[in-house]
């Protein structure tokens, strides 16, 4: 079945630690995105990529980094510079940029 | 400044009746609008979309209405079913800025 796989589903980060969230898609989509959702809030864009080896910052990119070395993969690293990382992180992809995004099941990141 | 607002954080409806979820926006450059449904601890799933050149789009029990002069979007679900209980997000695209902005969501509860 085609879809987007995010792992792990739950992740705990210690102070000063970098953690990486995985996102893989087999939909053959060019565009991929990372969003963050805080309780009771909407989704806010962290980074997006419209093509391999290219990515752009979203509204809240500080403290995060990404790479897009393969079409199917778009990992997100939450660095120690992100002071408030506790949130639900959602990866998405789309065939055409900014149209009908398909979302993964999310990763809940918490700070120990 | 929130460009996409869902002013009702929650809505309760009886099974079989109509559910109407509302969304207001401020940016007249938005050209494409989407509705997503989200269950807890899962990623949003796409429901229905509408281009700014249309004022209505229908898909089964779901109909989206767009009133450009009022900058208002609504999703109608008829008839409502208990399985429709979820959080609903509206989203709006501004193509020139490579941006898809989400509202804060409305929690719909459909009572049997």
């Amino acid at each position: 079945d085609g879809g987007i796989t995010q792992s792990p589903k739950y992740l705990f980060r210690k102070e000063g630690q970098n953690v990486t969230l995985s996102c893989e898609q087999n939909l053959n989509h060019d565009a991929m995105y990372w969003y963050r959702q805080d309780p009771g809030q909407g989704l806010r864009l962290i980074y997006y990529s419209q093509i391999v080896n290219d990515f752009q910052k979203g509204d809240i990119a500080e403290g995060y980094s990404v790479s897009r070395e393969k079409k199917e993969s778009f990992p997100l690293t939450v660095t120690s510079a992100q002071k408030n990382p506790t949130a639900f992180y959602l990866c998405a992809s789309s065939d055409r940029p900014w149209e009908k995004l398909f979302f993964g099941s999310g990763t809940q990141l918490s700070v120990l | 400044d929130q460009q996409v607002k869902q002013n009702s954080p929650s809505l309760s409806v009886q099974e079989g009746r109509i559910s109407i979820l509302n969304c207001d926006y401020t940016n007249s450059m938005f050209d494409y609008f989407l509705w997503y449904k989200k269950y807890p601890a899962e990623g949003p799933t796409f429901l229905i979309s509408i281009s700014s050149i249309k004022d209505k789009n229908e898909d089964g029990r779901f109909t989206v209405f767009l009133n450009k002069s009022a900058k208002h979007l609504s999703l109608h679900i008829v008839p409502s079913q208990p399985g429709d209980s979820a959080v609903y997000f509206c989203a709006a695209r501004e193509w020139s800025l490579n941006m898809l902005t989400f509202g804060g969501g409305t929690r719909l509860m459909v009572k049997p």
Side-chain angles (χ1 to χ4, degrees), chain A residues 32-86:
Chain A
M32 296 188 75
Y33 317 79
W34 275 104
Y35 282 89
R36 167 179 170 146
Q37 186 190 18
D38 293 281
Q41 305 280 324
L43 281 65
R44 291 184 292 167
L45 181 67
I46 305 172
Y47 268 98
Y48 66 96
S49 167
Q50 296 191 15
I51 197 167
V52 175
N53 292 323
D54 185 56
F55 49 83
Q56 305 295 329
K57 292 181 179 180
D59 299 323
I60 54 166
E62 187 174 348
Y64 300 97
S65 66
V66 293
S67 63
R68 187 86 187 277
E69 296 176 3
K70 298 185 296 182
K71 185 175 184 178
E72 58 270 22
S73 179
F74 191 40
L76 173 75
T77 297
V78 184
T79 74
S80 57
Q82 173 48 245
K83 297 307 178 188
N84 185 21
T86 297

Side-chain angles (χ1 to χ4, degrees), chain A residues 1-4 24-32 50 52 68 70-73 93-96 102:
Chain A
D1 286 338
I4 301 178
E24 303 278 332
Q25 55 100 357
N26 60 5
L27 298 166
N28 200 35
H29 287 167
D30 285 314
M32 296 188 75
Q50 296 191 15
V52 175
R68 187 86 187 277
K70 298 185 296 182
K71 185 175 184 178
E72 58 270 22
S73 179
S93 71
S94 65
D95 185 27
R96 291 190 284 186
F102 289 86

Side-chain angles (χ1 to χ4, degrees), chain A residues 9-10 35 37 40-43 45 48 50 88 90 97-106, chain B residues 32 34 36 38 41-46 87 89 93 95 97-105:
Chain A
K9 192 160 182 67
Y10 300 96
Y35 282 89
Q37 186 190 18
Q41 305 280 324
L43 281 65
L45 181 67
Y48 66 96
Q50 296 191 15
F88 190 58
L90 287 159
W98 310 108
E99 284 189 22
K100 197 174 176 182
L101 274 61
F102 289 86
F103 284 86
S105 58
Chain B
Y32 182 65
L34 307 92
Y36 281 86
K38 184 181 181 300
E42 292 185 11
T45 54
F46 171 79
V87 177
F89 290 99
R93 180 186 77 182
W95 174 258
L97 290 185
N98 285 324
M99 184 173 72
L100 189 66
T101 303
F102 284 81

